[in-house]
Amino acid sequence: TPSTSTFSYTGANGFGNTTVQSETYNDLTLNASDTFVLEAATTVSNNLTITAGTLDTVSGQNYGLTIGNNYSNSGTFEAQAGTVTFNATDAGNTLGGTMTTTSAFYNLTFNGVAGAWSFSDAATVDNTFTITNGTVTAPSGTLTITNNYSNSGTFTHNSGTVTMNATATGKTITAGGSSFYNLTFNGVGGGWTLQDATTVSNVLTITNGTLNGGSVTLTLSGTTGTPFSNSGTFTASTGTVTYTGNN
């Protein structure tokens, strides 16, 4: 029974990887120059901290990881093709540390009624980013998403940039009533379609790829004088583009 305890792995296995038993932990800390592999799907009901070493969800198994409160990574997180789910039902939770390149997430889901999370550093999601319930505050830098974006909760842009970098077509953006600040599409061969009304409050940029406006309203409210920059392809379809910003 985890109660309010902290479970810390601090030993390095000189003969191979260290297995993290499939349990429900309260606080889980990894702090050794070792590779820690999940035994199966694992729940951390409070905080997951990677101080040193590598946490691996296991290639081919892609074990899920559920985190109740905070996530901090100063080591390496190998998401493989697994899903990390944050399910807090309180505010003030944070995601920080290294969350890009080799420590990027694969599928990242937020699903906690009344839960709230903030990114304190740039992050990359190599597949799908989903807000089912709760409020997510983006990093003030860049949140990079390779596949689909789906929001049925609340997304607070924090004056940051969301970059979609897929290199395949068929990707979707469901804004869910929350606006973006900077929204950038930059994937050679990538194709995205808006699924509902979308607002970009600073600059919409298509560097590479094709953005399809679908049949919805795209509102550009930026006041930079150039709220839309396009060096890729924009397909209006049957949608409406509305400029509402004053330069």
Side-chain angles (χ1 to χ4, degrees), residues 78-166:
E78 295 184 352
Q80 306 297 347
T83 298
V84 176
T85 301
F86 287 86
N87 67 349
T89 54
D90 61 348
N93 303 294
T94 59
L95 288 76
T98 304
M99 296 178 287
T100 60
T101 60
T102 57
S103 287
F105 299 101
Y106 187 71
N107 294 316
L108 182 59
T109 298
F110 298 89
N111 188 10
V113 175
W117 305 264
S118 297
F119 287 90
S120 56
D121 296 283
T124 297
V125 180
D126 283 337
N127 197 42
T128 297
F129 179 91
T130 305
I131 306 172
T132 305
N133 288 292
T135 299
V136 176
T137 299
S140 58
T142 302
L143 172 62
T144 302
I145 302 169
T146 299
N147 205 333
N148 303 318
Y149 172 96
S150 176
N151 174 32
S152 55
T154 301
F155 177 77
T156 303
H157 61 59
N158 197 25
S159 299
T161 298
V162 174
T163 297
M164 310 297 295
N165 68 345

Side-chain angles (χ1 to χ4, degrees), residues 6-10 27-31:
T6 298
F7 199 102
S8 297
Y9 286 84
T10 61
D27 289 321
L28 177 61
T29 298
L30 307 177
N31 189 9

Side-chain angles (χ1 to χ4, degrees), residues 23-36:
E23 303 287 349
T24 297
Y25 300 90
N26 179 58
D27 289 321
L28 177 61
T29 298
L30 307 177
N31 189 9
S33 297
D34 198 0
T35 296
F36 300 91

